[in-house]
Amino acid sequence: MTRASLPPVAVIGAGFSGTMAALQLLSTLPPERPVLLCERGGSFGRGLAYGTGNPAHLLNLRATNMSAFPDRPRNFEEWLGRLGPEEAEGIWATPAGTFAARGLFGRYLTELLSEAVTRSHAGRLQLLPDAVTDLEPRGDGFRLHTEGGQSFTVAGAVLAMGNLAAAPSRSRHSLDPWDTEHFGRLHPHAPVLILGTGLTMLDAVASLRAHGFAGAILALSRRGLVPNGHAPAKTWAAPDFTPAELASLPRLLTRIRTEVARAGARGIGWHGVIDALRPLTDTLWRSLPTPERRRFLRHLRPFWDVHRHRTAPPVDAAIRDEIASGGLTVRAGRLLDIADDPAQAVVTLRLRGAERTERLAVQAMIDATGFGHLAQSQDPLLRRLLERGLVRPEPFGLGLEAGPDYRARGTTAARPLWLLGPLLRGVLWECIAVPDIRNEAVELASLVAADLDRAAAA
Ligand SMILES: Cc1cc2nc3c(=O)[nH]c(=O)nc-3n(C[C@H](O)[C@H](O)[C@H](O)COP(=O)(O)OP(=O)(O)OC[C@H]3O[C@@H](n4cnc5c(N)ncnc54)[C@H](O)[C@@H]3O)c2cc1C
């Protein structure tokens, strides 16, 4: 057995990104280098996405795409195959592929992590259930401080803290879509408004129904677009974009529409074309000039999201049933005002194309508009790192600036600080889904190992 003796590398956040970073670092760093995995939420491995116990919350990717390891692509499917018949409720075989409950995926991740803890020699993988509040530069590394008053010397840190939290709501009747325990206290029939019509809205509808809410739900977003469902898709070859297309959003869009039309003429739906773009989207994002990327975020992102981030067929069917039965109404429009009464909120809306505004009394509003921007973030660790100049925002405010080596870029001299997951959103477009994060974790681990080796040799 090897004794761990060097200062650890800290991984901050133990959702999918942090868990993958920790597992890959364990297999890539020398055996005497421990890994300190820090999680403020108490539960390691699941993160925000896979902590749900609602069997109606399904993965939005086929089980075939959800292995935690790029070199073992069937690992999750095989794990599912070993489950007993009592888990059948969480596994859906559909013509478009097999989709599992997100809670099952969370269990798969926690099992991978506990196996790693058991295997880790001399406690090389240490789990720290505490919020990290500061990384103070010390020597070549940091002194890591936690909310619980602990501190540790670490050789470097990987920030895997997930999406930025949304800005706090203006209304006392606003509910967090992830904190569903309040849903059971709602009046079962008084109307509820959901702000946002994307994947979080679909989750919120399933959570409301699971908590016995039987009333009307209005979902509102700027464009009123609901995610598409997965369908059996034939493959389409990745387009070879010209330099002119790569430099201009309108040209790029025209080319993609042409590809969709050509595919359609051969009986292949748009799904095949969008899937063909997936390996190219990072390159497309990085090649577009900054003003074009801003235009994409302002005008096209909702359209892209509903085609790219598709839902499992059972979720799609449930939402279409909701719409058909009148339980859920989806509208395009804007929320103009909220007036809070003690028992309800009176919201003023302007629906798209309408001249007049409408007022509506709702018992609650669920904020499913997505995640926040860096400028609004109150996260104590991020604020501290920004103040210290260890990190800086990337131009779109979606996350932090980083180099191609995942090293955070700040305003002061570079430090051993790396990013993984949604904080990379403005730099790497594809950094939020499992197939991307698992590959990026492998790459990150070897870059961290090489950086630490170089620092030790200097
Ligand atoms: C509802 C939902 C469903 C999704 N479904 C899918 C899917 O089916 N397939 C797919 O490929 N992708 C899916 N995604 C995308 C998802 O973003 C990734 O799969 C992945 O879960 C991102 O994990 P993460 O670890 O980066 O972030 P998170 O899961 O948010 O984890 C970050 C963790 O960091 C912790 N943390 C933050 N700050 C600190 C701190 N200062 N100290 C200590 N701990 C801290 C948080 O408590 C949290 O547990 C889904 C996303 C969401 C939100």
Side-chain angles (χ1 to χ4, degrees), residues 222-243:
R222 222 159 31 108
R223 313 223 175 240
L225 296 169
V226 176
N228 285 281
H230 281 283
K234 290 192 199 146
T235 54
W236 184 250
D240 52 339
F241 292 109
T242 63

Side-chain angles (χ1 to χ4, degrees), residues 12-18 38-41 46-50 58-61 66 102 130-132 160-163 178 203 371 379 381 420-422 432-435 437:
I12 302 170
F16 182 72
S17 303
C38 315
E39 172 54 53
R40 66 178 175 199
R46 291 178 182 267
L48 181 62
Y50 312 116
L58 300 185
L59 292 171
N60 52 36
L61 290 185
M66 290 294 291
R102 295 212 304 269
D130 205 344
V132 177
M161 299 155 62
N163 287 291
W178 316 115
D203 261 20
F371 297 101
D379 184 277
L381 176 59
L420 188 65
I432 57 163
V434 162
I437 296 171

Side-chain angles (χ1 to χ4, degrees), residues 359-375:
R359 295 180 84 214
L360 180 72
V362 294
Q363 62 168 326
M365 280 173 300
I366 299 175
D367 186 353
T369 49
F371 297 101
H373 277 248
L374 200 60

